[in-house]
Amino acid sequence: MAPKPPTLGKRRGKAVALLGIAHAAAKWPPNSATFGAPRRSVAFLGHMARALYTSRMLSVEQAQAEILGRGRVLPTERVDILAALGRVLAEPIRSTRRIPPWPNSSMDGYAVRAADARPSAILRVVDRVIAGSLPTHAVAAGEAVRIFTGAPMPAGADAVVPQEDVDARDGVIALRGAVEPGAYVRPAGEDVREGDLVLEAGRAIGAAEIGLLATLGRTQVTVGRRPRVAVLSTGNELADLGTEPTPAQIPNANTYSLMAQVVEAGGLPLNLGVAPDRLDAISERIARGLEADVLVSSAGVSVGELDLVREALVNAGAELHLWKVDMRPGKPITFGSIAGRPVFGLPGNPVSAMVTFELFVRPMLRAMQGRRAISRATITATALAPIINRGSRRGYLRVVLEARRGRWGARLTGEQGSGILRSMVSADGLAVVPGDTSIPIGDNVEVIVLREVST
Ligand code: AMP
Ligand code: MG
């Protein structure tokens, strides 16, 4: 069961005291305009006081459960089977056919009765059947039918002798050895029987699934709708793609890495661009983002005076949860909902934004499509060099994976700073390391696999 979200509960007295402090803080300093600090609404400060007071350290798994507990599966749509690649099947597929429809040969050779097939037996060839045609003769005792791969077995025959195992001349064949009943015969329904449940709802559709759907004569299939995900970056220091950063600016990375992660998770990104650190600007973007199914913003969620994303979300009607999550990278994450729409306030550092997306947004987007398997695969790898987590929080450390004598080995990508985006570029996975833990060379480490690793 999902753990209960933090609530005020019996400690209401203390919270009321904090609200009082929030009131006072809203009025302080008396002439805040001279400080250039934005004045915050009493309601928002009350919200923050409550959130900070009630925020407790959650494990990543608890935070994930809280988030998923508030998700909903989107409606479905019908698409052509090729367009279903990478989508989530929303209907169980039962077979209306038997595949193959009849027993057929898996070799070029001769259809025979196994009982006749003794070494040096001579059989008369009475027919020839190729793929795409039907046999016209049954095989009687002492007879054989020339047959090719994929052609239906003639009645009476129960085995195929490959052509390289006979001596053929003048309409007869001489066998060289015995043949087992069923040899080189693919039975009817060997792949699919009529009525079989061949694909369950909730699975991702890949190339094999599309082949199977085609085999069953399906031109279209019902899949979960892709979630539309509005992506917002905030910060006065950000120059968006296409504009040259001023001397005081840095390029906007997060919009693009997060939109790409949305696509990888099966969603459709909506670019809300960059909002400067002004409440009106952020609020205007958030209002535009509400046409999407999910809102993901990055940066502006710390406790600095220019960290206005939470306030803008609350003003837009969000019920917010502020969590300290036992993880690094990733500061407290903000999650909530506006009119049933999940909203995420991710940290601004490019690696923190990507890793928190991985752990919290991606599973939600997959679940919204009706997907059953929402988590990445984890493997147990061997540390190829010491893997040290000096922090007290659980580390999600970027590692390279290497195949070593049939086992996976993992080594850190290098510096683990949360602003070092190049460490994500080289990361095949995230090693999950408990706080204050050193994993020596040769010890096992659990790794979340982020991408296909070629060997
Ligand atoms: P903040 O949470 O707003 O304090 O941002 C944390 C750090 O992330 C700061 O160094 C920001 O400059 C950086 N940052 C925030 N947003 C972005 C972005 N979209 N692209 C690159 N870096 C960013
Ligand atoms: Mg900022």
Side-chain angles (χ1 to χ4, degrees):
M1 210 181 69
K4 281 257 181 296
T7 53
L8 274 176
K10 289 181 197 133
R11 304 191 199 155
R12 189 165 291 156
K14 275 191 193 168
V16 168
L18 273 167
L19 276 171
I21 296 168
H23 268 269
K27 293 185 190 123
W28 192 91
N31 55 347
S32 60
T34 55
F35 284 76
R39 256 186 108 100
R40 280 161 172 198
S41 70
V42 172
F44 176 67
L45 285 171
H47 169 87
M48 283 299 284
R50 223 169 25 246
L52 285 170
Y53 175 69
T54 56
S55 73
R56 57 193 160 100
M57 182 76 89
L58 299 189
S59 67
V60 166
E61 290 75 14
Q62 283 171 323
Q64 286 169 331
E66 295 265 7
I67 289 168
L68 289 169
R70 289 175 169 86
R72 74 200 152 92
V73 178
L74 294 173
T76 59
E77 60 191 11
R78 274 179 89 72
V79 296
D80 290 349
I81 57 169
L82 190 56
L85 183 65
R87 306 289 297 269
V88 183
L89 187 62
E91 55 170 333
I93 303 291
R94 282 193 183 278
S95 168
T96 49
R97 290 181 175 166
R98 190 163 64 161
I99 308 293
W102 14 253
N104 67 96
S105 175
S106 67
M107 292 291 268
D108 290 343
Y110 296 84
V112 300
R113 296 156 67 115
D116 283 354
R118 295 170 308 274
S120 65
I122 305 286
L123 304 176
R124 201 158 51 83
V125 180
V126 295
D127 193 14
R128 182 173 184 272
V129 52
I130 60 175
S133 65
L134 290 173
T136 50
H137 284 66
V139 175
E143 293 180 345
V145 164
R146 180 78 170 116
I147 196 165
F148 297 91
T149 305
M153 288 290 287
D158 60 358
V160 171
V161 189
Q163 60 192 25
E164 48 275 24
D165 293 347
V166 305
D167 297 308
R169 66 192 124 76
D170 304 332
V172 295
I173 53 170
L175 304 188
R176 299 200 197 115
V179 180
E180 291 292 311
Y184 303 107
V185 176
R186 298 189 284 222
E190 158 187 83
D191 189 359
V192 177
R193 283 160 310 185
E194 222 170 308
D196 275 358
L197 174 66
V198 289
L199 299 172
E200 310 100 69
R203 69 181 291 140
I205 299 175
E209 284 78 3
I210 290 173
L212 191 53
L213 288 165
T215 281
L216 299 178
R218 296 287 301 251
T219 56
Q220 291 204 314
V221 73
T222 308
V223 295
R225 183 160 74 63
R226 294 183 184 281
R228 284 162 307 179
V229 185
V231 177
L232 173 64
S233 287
T234 66
N236 288 335
E237 75 279 33
L238 300 177
D240 208 354
L241 198 60
T243 55
E244 195 53 36
T246 66
Q249 284 185 317
I250 58 163
N252 168 22
N254 294 354
T255 292
Y256 303 95
S257 50
L258 291 172
M259 288 203 302
Q261 286 182 293
V262 167
V263 173
E264 281 181 349
L268 297 170
L270 169 68
N271 185 357
L272 295 179
V274 174
D277 294 310
R278 276 196 345 258
L279 201 51
D280 60 334
I282 299 170
S283 296
E284 184 255 322
R285 308 285 171 131
I286 288 174
R288 226 194 307 152
L290 295 187
E291 68 188 60
D293 302 303
V294 179
L295 177 68
V296 177
S297 84
S298 67
V301 284
S302 308
V303 288
E305 62 193 30
L306 290 179
D307 292 322
L308 300 165
V309 168
R310 271 194 214 106
E311 184 166 3
L313 289 171
V314 168
N315 291 351
E319 185 205 326
L320 283 191
H321 311 282
L322 163 71
W323 294 321
K324 293 182 211 129
V325 181
D326 178 24
M327 66 177 288
R328 185 195 299 262
K331 290 244 179 66
I333 71 150
T334 296
F335 169 74
S337 52
I338 303 178
R341 214 178 263 98
V343 294
F344 293 86
L346 304 183
N349 278 304
V351 174
S352 309
M354 286 194 74
V355 172
T356 49
F357 184 101
E358 248 316 308
L359 295 178
F360 304 112
V361 187
R362 183 178 184 275
M364 175 67 115
L365 298 185
R366 286 163 73 98
M368 288 174 80
Q369 294 164 77
R371 193 158 178 158
R372 289 233 193 92
I374 56 172
S375 305
R376 296 269 192 198
T378 60
I379 58 168
T380 302
T382 307
L384 299 175
I387 295 178
I388 300 166
N389 178 14
R390 290 203 178 80
S392 59
R393 295 191 176 184
R394 187 200 277 178
Y396 286 82
L397 308 180
R398 284 140 267 161
V399 291
V400 178
L401 291 172
E402 289 169 29
R404 286 284 179 99
R405 280 175 250 106
R407 273 189 62 80
W408 287 108
R411 73 170 80 244
L412 292 175
T413 55
E415 279 302 316
Q416 296 286 312
S418 57
I420 304 174
L421 194 51
R422 283 185 63 185
S423 64
M424 278 306 274
V425 172
S426 31
D428 296 316
L430 297 170
V432 185
V433 184
D436 302 312
T437 300
S438 292
I439 297 174
I441 294 181
D443 271 19
N444 284 344
V445 60
E446 185 200 346
V447 177
I448 299 171
V449 181
L450 291 180
R451 63 183 174 200
E452 196 179 306
V453 184
S454 35
T455 52

Short mmCIF file of all heavy atoms in Angstrom, two decimals, residues 112-154:
data_model
loop_
_atom_site.label_atom_id
_atom_site.label_comp_id
_atom_site.label_asym_id
_atom_site.label_seq_id
_atom_site.Cartn_x
_atom_site.Cartn_y
_atom_site.Cartn_z
N VAL A 112 6.94 -38.29 -46.45
CA VAL A 112 6.86 -39.76 -46.43
C VAL A 112 6.05 -40.23 -45.24
O VAL A 112 5.70 -39.44 -44.36
CB VAL A 112 8.27 -40.41 -46.35
CG1 VAL A 112 9.13 -40.00 -47.53
CG2 VAL A 112 8.96 -40.04 -45.03
N ARG A 113 5.77 -41.54 -45.21
CA ARG A 113 5.23 -42.15 -44.00
C ARG A 113 6.43 -42.68 -43.23
O ARG A 113 7.18 -43.51 -43.75
CB ARG A 113 4.29 -43.30 -44.38
CG ARG A 113 3.07 -42.80 -45.16
CD ARG A 113 2.48 -43.91 -46.00
NE ARG A 113 1.90 -44.96 -45.20
CZ ARG A 113 0.61 -45.25 -45.18
NH1 ARG A 113 -0.24 -44.59 -45.95
NH2 ARG A 113 0.14 -46.22 -44.42
N ALA A 114 6.58 -42.24 -42.00
CA ALA A 114 7.77 -42.63 -41.24
C ALA A 114 7.90 -44.15 -41.15
O ALA A 114 9.00 -44.69 -41.15
CB ALA A 114 7.73 -41.99 -39.84
N ALA A 115 6.73 -44.83 -41.14
CA ALA A 115 6.74 -46.29 -41.01
C ALA A 115 7.42 -46.95 -42.22
O ALA A 115 7.97 -48.05 -42.13
CB ALA A 115 5.31 -46.81 -40.86
N ASP A 116 7.39 -46.25 -43.39
CA ASP A 116 8.01 -46.79 -44.61
C ASP A 116 9.50 -46.54 -44.67
O ASP A 116 10.20 -47.09 -45.54
CB ASP A 116 7.43 -46.06 -45.84
CG ASP A 116 6.04 -46.55 -46.20
OD1 ASP A 116 5.58 -47.52 -45.57
OD2 ASP A 116 5.43 -45.93 -47.10
N ALA A 117 9.94 -45.61 -43.82
CA ALA A 117 11.29 -45.07 -44.02
C ALA A 117 12.35 -45.90 -43.33
O ALA A 117 12.87 -45.53 -42.28
CB ALA A 117 11.32 -43.61 -43.55
N ARG A 118 12.65 -47.02 -43.93
CA ARG A 118 13.74 -47.87 -43.43
C ARG A 118 14.97 -47.61 -44.29
O ARG A 118 14.84 -47.21 -45.44
CB ARG A 118 13.34 -49.35 -43.51
CG ARG A 118 12.19 -49.75 -42.62
CD ARG A 118 11.71 -51.15 -42.95
NE ARG A 118 11.43 -51.31 -44.39
CZ ARG A 118 10.28 -51.00 -44.94
NH1 ARG A 118 9.27 -50.55 -44.20
NH2 ARG A 118 10.09 -51.17 -46.25
N PRO A 119 16.17 -47.87 -43.77
CA PRO A 119 17.36 -47.68 -44.62
C PRO A 119 17.22 -48.49 -45.90
O PRO A 119 16.75 -49.62 -45.86
CB PRO A 119 18.49 -48.21 -43.75
CG PRO A 119 17.99 -48.15 -42.35
CD PRO A 119 16.51 -48.30 -42.40
N SER A 120 17.58 -47.87 -47.00
CA SER A 120 17.56 -48.41 -48.36
C SER A 120 16.16 -48.75 -48.89
O SER A 120 16.03 -49.48 -49.87
CB SER A 120 18.53 -49.60 -48.51
OG SER A 120 18.11 -50.68 -47.72
N ALA A 121 15.11 -48.22 -48.23
CA ALA A 121 13.75 -48.36 -48.78
C ALA A 121 13.67 -47.54 -50.07
O ALA A 121 14.29 -46.50 -50.19
CB ALA A 121 12.72 -47.86 -47.78
N ILE A 122 12.90 -48.05 -51.02
CA ILE A 122 12.68 -47.33 -52.28
C ILE A 122 11.22 -46.87 -52.30
O ILE A 122 10.31 -47.68 -52.08
CB ILE A 122 12.91 -48.28 -53.50
CG1 ILE A 122 14.31 -48.92 -53.44
CG2 ILE A 122 12.69 -47.53 -54.81
CD1 ILE A 122 15.45 -48.00 -53.79
N LEU A 123 11.01 -45.55 -52.50
CA LEU A 123 9.64 -45.00 -52.51
C LEU A 123 9.37 -44.33 -53.85
O LEU A 123 10.27 -43.72 -54.43
CB LEU A 123 9.46 -43.98 -51.37
CG LEU A 123 9.77 -44.48 -49.94
CD1 LEU A 123 9.65 -43.33 -48.94
CD2 LEU A 123 8.83 -45.62 -49.54
N ARG A 124 8.11 -44.45 -54.31
CA ARG A 124 7.71 -43.87 -55.58
C ARG A 124 7.21 -42.44 -55.34
O ARG A 124 6.39 -42.21 -54.46
CB ARG A 124 6.58 -44.72 -56.17
CG ARG A 124 6.38 -44.59 -57.66
CD ARG A 124 5.66 -45.84 -58.19
NE ARG A 124 4.46 -46.12 -57.39
CZ ARG A 124 3.27 -45.52 -57.58
NH1 ARG A 124 3.12 -44.62 -58.54
NH2 ARG A 124 2.24 -45.85 -56.83
N VAL A 125 7.74 -41.48 -56.14
CA VAL A 125 7.35 -40.07 -55.98
C VAL A 125 6.09 -39.82 -56.79
O VAL A 125 6.10 -39.94 -58.02
CB VAL A 125 8.49 -39.12 -56.41
CG1 VAL A 125 8.08 -37.66 -56.23
CG2 VAL A 125 9.76 -39.42 -55.61
N VAL A 126 4.95 -39.49 -56.11
CA VAL A 126 3.65 -39.44 -56.78
C VAL A 126 3.11 -38.03 -56.96
O VAL A 126 2.10 -37.82 -57.62
CB VAL A 126 2.60 -40.28 -56.01
CG1 VAL A 126 2.98 -41.76 -56.03
CG2 VAL A 126 2.44 -39.77 -54.57
N ASP A 127 3.77 -37.02 -56.38
CA ASP A 127 3.25 -35.65 -56.50
C ASP A 127 4.37 -34.68 -56.14
O ASP A 127 5.43 -35.11 -55.62
CB ASP A 127 2.04 -35.45 -55.54
CG ASP A 127 1.25 -34.17 -55.83
OD1 ASP A 127 1.44 -33.57 -56.91
OD2 ASP A 127 0.43 -33.78 -54.95
N ARG A 128 4.09 -33.40 -56.37
CA ARG A 128 5.07 -32.36 -56.09
C ARG A 128 4.27 -31.20 -55.52
O ARG A 128 3.30 -30.76 -56.13
CB ARG A 128 5.75 -31.97 -57.40
CG ARG A 128 6.82 -30.93 -57.30
CD ARG A 128 7.48 -30.84 -58.70
NE ARG A 128 8.59 -29.90 -58.66
CZ ARG A 128 8.47 -28.61 -58.88
NH1 ARG A 128 7.30 -28.09 -59.15
NH2 ARG A 128 9.55 -27.84 -58.84
N VAL A 129 4.65 -30.73 -54.34
CA VAL A 129 3.88 -29.64 -53.74
C VAL A 129 4.83 -28.52 -53.30
O VAL A 129 5.81 -28.76 -52.60
CB VAL A 129 2.93 -30.14 -52.61
CG1 VAL A 129 3.65 -30.96 -51.58
CG2 VAL A 129 2.22 -28.98 -51.92
N ILE A 130 4.52 -27.33 -53.81
CA ILE A 130 5.36 -26.17 -53.49
C ILE A 130 4.58 -25.24 -52.57
O ILE A 130 3.36 -25.33 -52.46
CB ILE A 130 5.81 -25.42 -54.77
CG1 ILE A 130 4.58 -24.91 -55.55
CG2 ILE A 130 6.67 -26.31 -55.65
CD1 ILE A 130 4.94 -24.05 -56.76
N ALA A 131 5.32 -24.33 -51.89
CA ALA A 131 4.66 -23.35 -51.01
C ALA A 131 3.68 -22.54 -51.84
O ALA A 131 4.00 -22.13 -52.95
CB ALA A 131 5.70 -22.44 -50.37
N GLY A 132 2.48 -22.35 -51.30
CA GLY A 132 1.47 -21.58 -52.02
C GLY A 132 0.52 -22.43 -52.82
O GLY A 132 -0.37 -21.91 -53.49
N SER A 133 0.70 -23.76 -52.80
CA SER A 133 -0.26 -24.64 -53.48
C SER A 133 -0.64 -25.77 -52.54
O SER A 133 0.01 -25.96 -51.51
CB SER A 133 0.33 -25.19 -54.78
OG SER A 133 1.43 -26.03 -54.46
N LEU A 134 -1.71 -26.49 -52.90
CA LEU A 134 -2.16 -27.58 -52.04
C LEU A 134 -1.79 -28.92 -52.65
O LEU A 134 -1.78 -29.06 -53.87
CB LEU A 134 -3.69 -27.51 -51.88
CG LEU A 134 -4.20 -26.32 -51.05
CD1 LEU A 134 -5.72 -26.26 -51.11
CD2 LEU A 134 -3.73 -26.45 -49.60
N PRO A 135 -1.50 -29.93 -51.83
CA PRO A 135 -1.20 -31.26 -52.38
C PRO A 135 -2.45 -31.85 -53.04
O PRO A 135 -3.56 -31.57 -52.60
CB PRO A 135 -0.79 -32.08 -51.14
CG PRO A 135 -1.04 -31.24 -49.94
CD PRO A 135 -1.45 -29.87 -50.36
N THR A 136 -2.25 -32.62 -54.07
CA THR A 136 -3.41 -33.24 -54.74
C THR A 136 -3.45 -34.75 -54.50
O THR A 136 -4.44 -35.39 -54.82
CB THR A 136 -3.34 -32.98 -56.26
OG1 THR A 136 -2.04 -33.34 -56.73
CG2 THR A 136 -3.59 -31.50 -56.57
N HIS A 137 -2.37 -35.32 -53.97
CA HIS A 137 -2.34 -36.76 -53.70
C HIS A 137 -2.07 -37.01 -52.22
O HIS A 137 -1.25 -36.31 -51.64
CB HIS A 137 -1.18 -37.44 -54.45
CG HIS A 137 -1.43 -37.63 -55.90
ND1 HIS A 137 -1.56 -36.59 -56.79
CD2 HIS A 137 -1.58 -38.78 -56.62
CE1 HIS A 137 -1.77 -37.08 -58.00
NE2 HIS A 137 -1.79 -38.40 -57.93
N ALA A 138 -2.71 -38.02 -51.70
CA ALA A 138 -2.33 -38.49 -50.36
C ALA A 138 -1.14 -39.44 -50.55
O ALA A 138 -0.92 -39.97 -51.63
CB ALA A 138 -3.49 -39.22 -49.72
N VAL A 139 -0.38 -39.61 -49.49
CA VAL A 139 0.78 -40.52 -49.56
C VAL A 139 0.36 -41.89 -49.04
O VAL A 139 -0.04 -42.03 -47.88
CB VAL A 139 1.96 -39.97 -48.73
CG1 VAL A 139 3.12 -40.97 -48.71
CG2 VAL A 139 2.43 -38.62 -49.31
N ALA A 140 0.41 -42.86 -49.92
CA ALA A 140 0.06 -44.23 -49.52
C ALA A 140 1.34 -44.99 -49.22
O ALA A 140 2.45 -44.49 -49.44
CB ALA A 140 -0.72 -44.90 -50.66
N ALA A 141 1.20 -46.23 -48.73
CA ALA A 141 2.37 -47.05 -48.40
C ALA A 141 3.27 -47.16 -49.63
O ALA A 141 2.78 -47.32 -50.75
CB ALA A 141 1.92 -48.43 -47.95
N GLY A 142 4.57 -46.96 -49.45
CA GLY A 142 5.53 -47.09 -50.54
C GLY A 142 5.63 -45.84 -51.40
O GLY A 142 6.32 -45.85 -52.42
N GLU A 143 4.95 -44.76 -50.98
CA GLU A 143 4.96 -43.54 -51.80
C GLU A 143 5.63 -42.38 -51.06
O GLU A 143 5.74 -42.38 -49.83
CB GLU A 143 3.54 -43.13 -52.17
CG GLU A 143 2.86 -44.12 -53.10
CD GLU A 143 1.45 -43.69 -53.47
OE1 GLU A 143 0.87 -42.81 -52.79
OE2 GLU A 143 0.91 -44.26 -54.42
N ALA A 144 6.03 -41.38 -51.86
CA ALA A 144 6.58 -40.13 -51.31
C ALA A 144 6.06 -38.98 -52.16
O ALA A 144 5.63 -39.20 -53.30
CB ALA A 144 8.10 -40.16 -51.32
N VAL A 145 6.06 -37.75 -51.60
CA VAL A 145 5.69 -36.54 -52.37
C VAL A 145 6.83 -35.54 -52.26
O VAL A 145 7.30 -35.24 -51.16
CB VAL A 145 4.36 -35.94 -51.83
CG1 VAL A 145 4.17 -34.51 -52.33
CG2 VAL A 145 3.17 -36.81 -52.26
N ARG A 146 7.28 -35.06 -53.41
CA ARG A 146 8.31 -34.01 -53.43
C ARG A 146 7.73 -32.79 -52.75
O ARG A 146 6.60 -32.37 -53.08
CB ARG A 146 8.67 -33.71 -54.90
CG ARG A 146 9.71 -32.63 -55.07
CD ARG A 146 11.08 -33.20 -54.80
NE ARG A 146 12.16 -32.29 -55.18
CZ ARG A 146 13.02 -31.77 -54.32
NH1 ARG A 146 12.93 -32.02 -53.02
NH2 ARG A 146 13.99 -31.01 -54.75
N ILE A 147 8.43 -32.18 -51.81
CA ILE A 147 7.86 -31.06 -51.05
C ILE A 147 8.92 -30.00 -50.81
O ILE A 147 10.12 -30.32 -50.75
CB ILE A 147 7.23 -31.57 -49.72
CG1 ILE A 147 6.29 -30.51 -49.12
CG2 ILE A 147 8.29 -31.99 -48.71
CD1 ILE A 147 5.37 -31.07 -48.03
N PHE A 148 8.47 -28.76 -50.68
CA PHE A 148 9.40 -27.65 -50.45
C PHE A 148 9.03 -26.92 -49.15
O PHE A 148 7.90 -27.04 -48.67
CB PHE A 148 9.39 -26.71 -51.66
CG PHE A 148 9.88 -27.40 -52.90
CD1 PHE A 148 8.99 -28.05 -53.75
CD2 PHE A 148 11.25 -27.46 -53.18
CE1 PHE A 148 9.45 -28.73 -54.88
CE2 PHE A 148 11.70 -28.13 -54.31
CZ PHE A 148 10.80 -28.76 -55.15
N THR A 149 9.99 -26.17 -48.62
CA THR A 149 9.81 -25.50 -47.33
C THR A 149 8.55 -24.64 -47.34
O THR A 149 8.34 -23.84 -48.26
CB THR A 149 11.03 -24.60 -47.03
OG1 THR A 149 12.19 -25.41 -47.08
CG2 THR A 149 10.92 -23.96 -45.65
N GLY A 150 7.70 -24.82 -46.33
CA GLY A 150 6.49 -24.02 -46.19
C GLY A 150 5.29 -24.60 -46.91
O GLY A 150 4.19 -24.08 -46.76
N ALA A 151 5.49 -25.68 -47.69
CA ALA A 151 4.36 -26.28 -48.40
C ALA A 151 3.57 -27.18 -47.45
O ALA A 151 4.15 -27.80 -46.55
CB ALA A 151 4.86 -27.08 -49.60
N PRO A 152 2.22 -27.26 -47.64
CA PRO A 152 1.39 -28.09 -46.76
C PRO A 152 1.74 -29.57 -46.91
O PRO A 152 1.99 -30.04 -48.03
CB PRO A 152 -0.03 -27.83 -47.23
CG PRO A 152 0.04 -26.63 -48.12
CD PRO A 152 1.43 -26.56 -48.65
N MET A 153 1.72 -30.29 -45.81
CA MET A 153 1.99 -31.72 -45.85
C MET A 153 0.82 -32.44 -46.53
O MET A 153 -0.34 -32.13 -46.24
CB MET A 153 2.13 -32.29 -44.43
CG MET A 153 3.40 -31.88 -43.73
SD MET A 153 4.87 -32.65 -44.44
CE MET A 153 4.70 -34.35 -43.87
N PRO A 154 1.11 -33.39 -47.41
CA PRO A 154 0.01 -34.18 -47.99
C PRO A 154 -0.58 -35.13 -46.94
O PRO A 154 0.13 -35.53 -46.00
CB PRO A 154 0.68 -34.95 -49.12
CG PRO A 154 2.15 -34.87 -48.88
CD PRO A 154 2.42 -33.77 -47.90
#
